[in-house]
C-alpha cells in the first residue's frame, strides 16, 4: 500500500488510466472484429463502410498511444487487403 499522500493519489490515477486504456483496447478489438465479420458475410458495400469507421477508431487509439502506430498500421493494412480481396 502507498505510504504517502502523493503515492496514494498516483495509485488512484493509475487505476483510472488502466481502466480507460482497457476500455479503448476493447473498442479496438471490437472494431477489428466488425470488419472481419462483414468480410465473412460477403457484402462488400457494408464491409467498406464499416472499414471506414474502424479506421477512424484504430487511428484514434494509436494517436492516444494505447497501441503502437505500427501495430495500428498493420491492422489497417490487413483489414484493407481483406476488403479489397472481396469479389
Amino acid at each position: 500500500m502507498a505510504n504517502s499522500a502523493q503515492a496514494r493519489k498516483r495509485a488512484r490515477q493509475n487505476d483510472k488510466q488502466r481502466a480507460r486504456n482497457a476500455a479503448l483496447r476493447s473498442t479496438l478489438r471490437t472494431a477489428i472484429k466488425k470488419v472481419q465479420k462483414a468480410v465473412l458475410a460477403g457484402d462488400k458495400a457494408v464491409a467498406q463502410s464499416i472499414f471506414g469507421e474502424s479506421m477512424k477508431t484504430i487511428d484514434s487509439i494509436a494517436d492516444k498511444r494505447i497501441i503502437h502506430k505500427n501495430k495500428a498500421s498493420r491492422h489497417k493494412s490487413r483489414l484493407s487487403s481483406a476488403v479489397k480481396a472481396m469479389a
Side-chain angles (χ1 to χ4, degrees):
M1 183 61 198
N3 290 322
S4 66
Q6 176 184 5
R8 284 191 293 273
K9 178 178 179 181
R10 200 68 186 127
R12 285 193 311 269
Q13 290 175 328
N14 288 340
D15 287 341
K16 285 175 69 173
Q17 192 59 47
R18 190 176 315 112
R20 180 70 177 140
N21 290 346
L24 287 171
R25 275 192 295 273
S26 176
T27 302
L28 169 76
R29 291 186 194 111
T30 301
I32 291 168
K33 287 177 192 175
K34 280 183 182 177
V35 176
Q36 291 171 340
K37 187 176 178 182
V39 168
L40 287 176
D43 190 349
K44 189 167 186 172
V46 172
Q48 285 176 331
S49 67
I50 294 174
F51 174 73
E53 296 167 13
S54 295
M55 291 309 98
K56 292 177 188 174
T57 302
I58 293 170
D59 285 334
S60 170
I61 291 170
D63 288 343
K64 294 174 185 170
R65 298 182 180 169
I66 305 303
I67 61 169
H68 195 274
K69 61 185 173 75
N70 291 356
K71 180 175 182 172
S73 180
R74 182 172 64 245
H75 281 301
K76 288 166 45 177
S77 174
R78 288 178 181 169
L79 292 173
S80 176
S81 296
V83 171
K84 286 180 182 177
M86 295 177 73

